[in-house]
Amino acid sequence: MSAPRRQAWWNVPDYFHSPLVFYMEEDQEDYIFGPDDEYLPTLEVHSNTFIQLERWFTSLGQTRVSVVGPFKARLWVMNLIRKLGSKKTFEQTQGQTMLLQIRSHPLTEQDLEFHPESGSRLWFTRMSDTTSVEVCCYLRFPLTVVWLFRVSVQILS
């Protein structure tokens, strides 16, 4: 994050291209962002992202979440939400640890390093102008991910 520290991340136009957009249930939103979005400002500051919540965006009452900011920070936020929604106890524990971490202090460069875990189905590859992200289908909460512009997302079921 040395480059963003030289110039505030919100002054870098590329960080606003291809926002991460996904939908989540109200109970998951309250768990992550707190009642009345109590933790939202802290999560944004500590992750160097801007997170927009649009409640009741779908007819099922889901909240649309849009995340802009540095690419690695957006991936970190997506991985946090994926782990918190996982049906696997180990991943839930990792997600809870990540949530406590982001609420207490800013992410470091080491935190933002992406290391695919063995057996993990969350991955991305960059091939020319295409980025693919797969999200594990073993989630407690339904999660729909949409990445706009030149990026495609596959959700496995």
Side-chain angles (χ1 to χ4, degrees), residues 142-155:
L143 178 64
T144 305
V145 178
V146 179
W147 215 311
L148 304 176
F149 302 103
R150 296 173 290 176
V151 181
S152 65
V153 173
Q154 299 173 333
I155 297 192

Side-chain angles (χ1 to χ4, degrees), residues 10 18 27 43 52-53 73 82 91-92 102 114 126 139-140 142 146:
W10 53 86
S18 303
D27 55 344
L43 293 175
Q52 179 181 8
L53 303 175
R82 181 191 64 84
E91 287 190 352
Q92 287 176 18
I102 196 71
F114 185 77
R126 183 164 293 278
L139 299 174
R140 291 182 310 168
V146 179

Side-chain angles (χ1 to χ4, degrees), residues 69-106:
F71 183 71
K72 286 182 177 182
R74 286 183 274 167
L75 281 178
W76 192 94
V77 170
M78 186 175 75
N79 199 29
L80 164 72
I81 291 167
R82 181 191 64 84
K83 286 184 177 187
L84 287 171
S86 176
K87 291 181 180 176
K88 298 178 181 177
T89 305
F90 180 72
E91 287 190 352
Q92 287 176 18
T93 304
Q94 285 180 318
Q96 291 168 352
T97 301
M98 292 170 73
L99 186 60
L100 292 173
Q101 172 191 356
I102 196 71
R103 286 180 180 171
S104 65
H105 62 273

Side-chain angles (χ1 to χ4, degrees), residues 22-25 27-28 62 81 85 139-144:
F22 55 92
Y23 301 86
M24 67 172 48
E25 301 296 326
D27 55 344
Q28 185 182 23
Q62 293 178 319
I81 291 167
L139 299 174
R140 291 182 310 168
F141 303 103
L143 178 64
T144 305

Side-chain angles (χ1 to χ4, degrees), residues 1 4 9 15 47-49 67-75 112:
M1 293 189 8
W9 74 264
Y15 292 158
S47 66
N48 287 322
T49 59
V67 183
V68 296
F71 183 71
K72 286 182 177 182
R74 286 183 274 167
L75 281 178
L112 295 174

